[in-house]
Amino acid sequence: MGSQSGQFMPAVSRFIGEETPELVEGHGATVVDADGNEYVDFFAQHAAMSHGYSHPEVVSAVSEQTERLNFSAYDFPTEPSRRLTERLAEVAPGDLERSYFVNSGSEAVEVALTLARRATGNHEFLALGEAFHGRTYGARSLVGWSGYREGFGPFLPSVTHVPSYNCEEFPGGEPETGAEYAEILEYILEYQVSDVAAFIAEPMFGTAGNIPAPEGYFKRIKEICDEHGILFIADEVITGFGRTGKPFGIDHYDVEPDVMTTAKALGGGMPIGATIATPEVADAFESMDYFSTFGGNPVATAAGLASLDVFEEEDLAGNAAEAGEYLLDQLHDLQSRYPFVGEIRGRGLLVGVDLIDPDDGSPLAKEHSLDLRRDAIDRGLILPAGQGWNGNTIRINPPLVIDDDELDRGVAVMDECFELLADRLA
Ligand code: PMP
């Protein structure tokens, strides 16, 4: 067990205070801690471990590449980095054909911002208020919510936060397709901001609580971006590579972004991110406009190639779609028995469950979610409760290879823990 709280190594305990288990082994969606306790993982390490822990194909690709050539800096391409660019061009939507490799999601966002300024000659950015794009300064400047901003400013001055589709009531009545929510962007561009380089959005809010955008939303957003000569950047750091039941989150909306940021699942556990752009946009980048020594290194890109093989061979997107349906059924059953289970939503294996005060429907106080998380850990389930915009969301995003037995065990633990929560609330 980790013994101190804080963020610096050693003895980090970030997930659950003093009780964060120190992990020593993992396979599929199950991990084992230093005391030999097993956990079903409904968290997948911030939705990054899509392929399952220590997937044998990723492990052998990493070990073979490490023996052959374990490093090359960004400006010395290698066979794996060249092949990974080709493979990503095949799986990414539309004309997204060129990849810029980095080491994390935040860095992929930094590259996208730098590229957008270079490609358009404009400097302003638009981002959704509830979005999360990372914690480096450019990326953090895009994040609208106070919890991620307070105490860290000043930020990049050229960011405007756009109200999103995630509001209780839409003025003028229930929207038909969701395109209505996008019209605010037209207004902002007309009256508020000019010289805009890009609009960036997650196809589905992850950190804010695993919240999908309505059906017609991104089509209208892209039309408005095109009309105004603005690039549309889809941040697929969480939603990429099958997580939502389709290859990419934006595939649910039949929209082709100009730039896409990816990371997390791409490396099958290894640190790698890729900013993928159309040739037209990518051509604007000149040598040394961005540089990252470790970006595109052969071991991380070999892991990326293996992870794409697994993604296709094991149909991870199909698994996520199927397992997501199965999970939603089970969660609706829990909802019918526990009045504090509020909205349940999701796509594929990116599912959000809100906990509410049964008396008035308001978000349940966060301390209850933290108790729930602790009860779950004690019973062998890593359950990311206490998350989202209001701190009352359980974000369920397990590895995409999770099997029915692991899902059943996880839901059974949730049931037990909900029983305890019901007693506490009584
Ligand atoms: N973009 C999105 C949509 C994310 O969810 C995250 C991380 N949760 C990031 C960017 C930042 O990724 P990283 O932690 O790899 O820097």
Side-chain angles (χ1 to χ4, degrees):
M1 293 281 181
S3 58
Q4 294 166 26
S5 60
Q7 291 281 320
F8 277 79
M9 300 277 179
V12 189
S13 40
R14 286 169 283 202
F15 183 64
I16 188 165
E18 308 233 331
E19 286 130 85
T20 305
E22 184 178 301
L23 304 182
V24 293
E25 199 181 320
H27 299 286
T30 301
V31 283
V32 181
D33 74 12
D35 298 327
N37 301 307
E38 270 196 18
Y39 304 88
V40 173
D41 184 6
F42 272 12
F43 181 51
Q45 309 298 326
H46 301 263
M49 196 43 345
S50 291
H51 300 69
Y53 290 88
S54 294
H55 192 291
E57 276 191 54
V58 178
V59 170
S60 60
V62 166
S63 106
E64 279 167 28
Q65 185 58 50
T66 305
E67 289 194 3
R68 199 175 316 129
L69 174 72
N70 74 344
F71 183 64
S72 160
Y74 195 88
D75 40 357
F76 283 76
T78 58
E79 192 214 341
S81 69
R82 178 177 47 74
R83 282 180 47 223
L84 185 57
T85 306
E86 290 162 8
R87 290 289 299 283
L88 284 171
E90 286 163 20
V91 295
D95 298 332
L96 293 169
E97 288 173 10
R98 306 274 186 83
S99 286
Y100 198 104
F101 295 119
V102 287
N103 309 289
S104 69
S106 300
E107 208 188 344
V109 170
E110 298 297 334
V111 170
L113 299 182
T114 314
L115 176 64
R117 281 188 168 171
R118 193 45 123 196
T120 62
N122 291 338
H123 56 265
E124 295 287 322
F125 297 110
L126 303 173
L128 295 178
E130 299 98 318
F132 183 81
H133 297 292
R135 285 184 172 88
T136 49
Y137 262 95
R140 196 193 277 258
S141 300
L142 301 168
V143 181
W145 20 332
S146 55
Y148 289 98
R149 293 175 70 88
E150 267 170 31
F152 299 113
F155 296 97
L156 207 63
S158 41
V159 176
T160 300
H161 289 110
V162 177
S164 80
Y165 48 84
N166 185 33
C167 50
E168 291 284 303
E169 277 179 35
F170 186 69
E174 190 65 17
E176 262 177 54
T177 69
E180 297 85 340
Y181 292 105
E183 296 304 333
I184 184 81
L185 184 59
E186 188 80 273
Y187 177 88
I188 285 174
L189 290 166
E190 183 86 31
Y191 297 107
Q192 215 176 319
V193 204
S194 53
D195 295 325
V196 178
F199 171 88
I200 182 167
E202 303 153 90
M204 181 166 160
F205 286 132
T207 303
N210 292 357
I211 307 166
E215 205 192 318
Y217 182 72
F218 282 110
K219 196 129 205 142
R220 184 68 192 121
I221 286 281
K222 179 70 167 100
E223 279 170 13
I224 298 174
C225 287
D226 287 346
E227 279 160 24
H228 291 265
I230 295 170
L231 300 182
F232 171 50
I233 305 170
D235 184 348
E236 296 266 4
V237 166
I238 283 189
T239 47
F241 307 106
R243 169 66 53 196
T244 67
K246 294 207 180 212
F248 292 93
I250 205 66
D251 292 334
H252 290 279
Y253 301 92
D254 197 20
V255 165
E256 296 174 4
D258 303 292
V259 181
M260 201 162 86
T261 50
T262 66
K264 298 212 191 238
L266 172 59
M270 292 296 284
I272 179 169
T275 305
I276 314 172
T278 62
E280 197 191 341
V281 173
D283 279 346
F285 239 17
E286 289 168 18
S287 175
M288 290 295 172
D289 276 358
Y290 199 93
F291 183 82
S292 173
T293 304
F294 284 100
N297 75 76
V299 178
T301 45
L305 278 169
S307 97
L308 286 186
D309 285 344
V310 173
F311 169 69
E312 281 168 6
E313 288 158 14
E314 299 188 17
D315 186 18
L316 293 188
N319 274 9
E322 218 173 285
E325 288 296 315
Y326 182 74
L327 175 64
L328 284 179
D329 278 351
Q330 308 225 31
L331 293 173
H332 282 121
D333 174 56
L334 291 180
Q335 187 185 40
S336 70
R337 291 187 285 119
Y338 297 101
F340 51 78
V341 177
E343 185 178 272
I344 296 172
R345 56 183 174 260
R347 285 219 170 93
L349 284 174
L350 198 54
V351 170
V353 178
D354 289 341
L355 300 183
I356 54 168
D357 183 327
D359 293 333
D360 59 11
S362 64
L364 196 65
K366 187 164 176 176
E367 75 217 44
H368 293 298
S369 292
L370 299 183
D371 288 343
L372 187 68
R373 197 150 98 171
R374 198 162 287 116
D375 288 341
I377 284 269
D378 290 346
R379 286 162 183 75
L381 174 68
I382 299 179
L383 185 70
Q387 307 229 338
W389 185 252
N390 291 308
N392 68 327
T393 302
I394 310 174
R395 288 174 60 205
I396 305 183
N397 30 246
L400 308 186
V401 293
I402 194 163
D403 61 30
D404 286 357
D405 175 56
E406 286 166 324
L407 272 176
D408 289 344
R409 278 193 282 143
V411 171
V413 172
M414 283 180 73
D415 197 349
E416 259 181 66
C417 297
F418 279 1
E419 195 72 57
L420 296 172
L421 177 56
D423 290 345
R424 282 196 290 268
L425 292 174

